[in-house]
Amino acid sequence: DFSRAKAETRRIELAAGVSVEMNTLTGIALGPESGAGAFELLTGEAVVTIDRPEAPLSIFAQDGETTASQARLALRCLDGQVRVSCLEGEARVRSAGRAAALPARHSVTYDQGRLQAPTAIDPDAEAAWRRGLLVFRDQRLGDVIEEINRYRTGRIVIADPRLRNRRVNGAFHTDRIDQVIDQMRLAYGVHATRLPGDVVLVA
C-alpha cells in the first residue's frame, strides 16, 4: 500500500494515534482486518509512534507480531530477519510460538523459528536515519557497505574479501554518503575505482 524508493523517506498517519516514518526501500501493507492502523512491514525499516491506550496496535513482519498501545518503535525487516527496537514505552513481540516483553531502550531480533532475548540499545543510534545519519559502532565493513548501498545510487563493491571483516566506527550523513569511501582510503589504505553506473570498486 505504501513504498519508498532508494533515498526516499515519508511520514504517514495510518489512523488516529498511529504514525509511521518510512525509510529508504521500505514497503508496508495495511491490515485492516487486524484493527485500525494495523499493517505489515514487508521490507525495509520504519519508526512507528503509537498513542492508543485503549486499542493496542498490531504490526506484522515475517512470521511475527508486535503489539503496543503507547510506544515509539523502530522496526527493521531485511533478508528474512526482523529487529524490533523499543525507543519509548513498551511492547510485546511474538514469533515462533514464543513471546517477549520489550521495555524501552531494548530490542529483540527474530527470524523463522527463533526469537532472541531482549538486549539493551542506544535509542539515538537505533533510528539515526531520521536525522539523516547512519551510525556504525564496531560493525563489519562488509555489513556497513551493504547498509550504505541501500542509500546511494549504484553500488560500492568490496573486491578484496579480507576487507569485509575490518571493524568500523563512524557516522555518515545520508546526503553525503560517499564520505565512507574517503574514510576507507584513510583508515585502510584502500584504492577506489569508479566505474560506469556509479559503481565504486574498492580493493
Side-chain angles (χ1 to χ4, degrees):
D1 292 290
F2 298 95
S3 63
R4 294 289 83 192
K6 184 172 284 193
E8 291 183 344
T9 61
R10 181 182 180 183
R11 185 178 188 276
I12 54 178
E13 301 286 338
L14 291 184
V18 180
S19 65
V20 179
E21 296 174 71
M22 300 172 60
N23 197 10
T24 179
L25 297 176
T26 296
I28 66 175
L30 300 181
E33 68 282 355
S34 299
F39 69 93
E40 179 180 1
L41 178 62
L42 302 172
T43 188
E45 58 188 334
V47 170
V48 187
T49 302
I50 307 159
D51 186 11
R52 297 201 320 192
E54 298 180 359
L57 176 74
S58 290
I59 305 168
F60 303 91
Q62 296 292 338
D63 62 345
E65 177 184 5
T66 300
T67 56
S69 56
Q70 289 182 302
R72 178 170 286 116
L73 308 175
L75 296 100
R76 180 180 175 94
C77 177
L78 290 173
D79 301 323
Q81 186 177 79
V82 178
R83 177 181 171 95
V84 182
S85 303
C86 186
L87 309 180
E88 300 174 14
E90 59 184 9
R92 189 166 184 82
V93 180
R94 299 179 182 86
S95 178
R98 299 180 60 195
L102 187 60
R105 305 175 69 91
H106 285 74
S107 73
V108 294
T109 300
Y110 66 84
D111 53 22
Q112 293 183 353
R114 181 179 60 172
L115 174 65
Q116 298 180 1
T119 57
I121 60 167
D122 177 352
D124 290 334
E126 197 72 17
W129 59 264
R130 299 165 67 203
R131 308 191 307 275
L133 288 173
L134 297 180
V135 178
F136 303 105
R137 293 179 177 167
D138 194 33
Q139 292 179 244
R140 291 176 62 252
L141 179 61
D143 297 332
V144 170
I145 294 303
E146 286 184 15
E147 181 67 11
I148 284 172
N149 280 333
R150 298 181 62 235
Y151 291 83
R152 71 183 300 277
T153 56
R155 290 188 62 80
I156 299 174
V157 179
I158 300 176
D160 185 347
R162 294 173 297 179
L163 292 173
R164 292 186 173 276
N165 290 322
R166 297 286 184 92
R167 310 309 291 188
V168 173
N169 289 281
F172 304 96
H173 292 271
T174 55
D175 60 352
R176 300 193 298 274
I177 202 66
D178 275 2
Q179 286 178 335
V180 70
I181 300 172
D182 296 328
Q183 178 162 323
M184 284 191 292
R185 286 195 187 108
L186 293 173
Y188 307 131
V190 304
H191 298 283
T193 304
R194 293 189 177 272
L195 302 173
D198 209 11
V199 172
V200 177
L201 189 68
V202 295

